[in-house]
């Protein structure tokens, strides 16, 4: 009886693992160069490892693409009064892989698109107690409608989950010009460099 219990538990653990390729047939198809073209808005809630809400934010987004290369500009407004930014430089590959870099991403982010979904991982440097801390980010994006993504993210340190992030992203205007948001990012980067 005990051996069967071990087999069942192991089967449940390994049977629950998922791959983004499981969503290959899901529609509508997520095409980053379409969804992250022009302006967008995001709303998010961060929860600690106990599930307690610790931080809320909204963000302005704007993306510009040339073939398979994209620049995604993001400015975040946090409930604690902090304003932060990120400039993603993204690359789409023919096999559905996605890679990207940003100033607060250590090394390169890498992931895979399939159907309506994107899964990718990266190491993010975040502010922590008057210093910074590197956390491993595991990021799932699901295109719900052509203009709406639901994003579930887990943050890990030393292999342990330390926080969860739930995020809603909406495309606003695919024809929008990104120059104002790009200028705001440059100003925030200059202020951060002067601090």
């Amino acid at each position: 009886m005990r051996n069967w219990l071990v087999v069942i538990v192991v089967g449940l653990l390994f049977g629950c693992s998922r791959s983004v390729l499981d969503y290959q047939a899901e529609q509508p198809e997520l095409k980053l160069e379409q969804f992250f073209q022009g302006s967008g808005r995001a709303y998010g809630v961060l929860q600690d490892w106990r599930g307690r809400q610790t931080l809320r934010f909204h963000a302005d987004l704007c993306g510009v693409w040339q073939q398979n290369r994209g620049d995604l500009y993001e400015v975040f407004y946090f409930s604690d009064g902090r304003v932060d930014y990120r400039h993603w430089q993204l690359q789409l590959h023919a096999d559905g892989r996605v890679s990207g870099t940003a100033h607060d991403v250590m090394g390169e982010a890498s992931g895979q698109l399939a159907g309506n979904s994107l899964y990718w991982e990266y190491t993010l440097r975040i502010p922590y107690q008057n210093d910074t801390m590197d956390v491993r980010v595991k990021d799932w994006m699901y295109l719900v409608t052509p203009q709406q993504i639901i994003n579930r993210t887990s943050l890990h340190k030393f292999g342990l989950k330390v926080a969860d992030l739930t995020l809603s992203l909406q495309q606003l205007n695919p024809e929008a010009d990104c120059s104002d948001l790009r200028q705001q990012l440059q100003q925030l980067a200059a202020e951060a460099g002067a601090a």
Side-chain angles (χ1 to χ4, degrees), residues 107-151:
E108 188 174 73
S110 62
Q112 180 72 44
L113 283 160
N116 74 329
S117 305
L118 168 66
Y119 174 74
W120 71 336
E121 292 188 23
Y122 50 94
T123 299
L124 183 66
R125 181 159 287 168
I126 60 172
Y128 181 72
Q129 296 182 350
N130 298 322
D131 200 357
T132 60
M133 174 174 64
D134 292 351
V135 293
R136 190 70 180 160
V137 176
K138 299 181 179 183
D139 211 352
W140 284 92
M141 291 186 184
Y142 305 99
L143 186 65
V144 180
T145 73
Q147 287 79 39
Q148 193 80 34
I149 283 178
I150 300 297
N151 190 163

Side-chain angles (χ1 to χ4, degrees), residues 36-56:
F36 290 112
Q37 174 66 41
S39 63
R41 177 60 69 96
Y43 300 91
V45 177
L46 186 70
Q47 297 169 303
D48 66 16
W49 62 274
R50 293 175 290 236
R52 183 176 55 194
Q53 174 186 229
T54 58
L55 201 60
R56 299 174 314 282

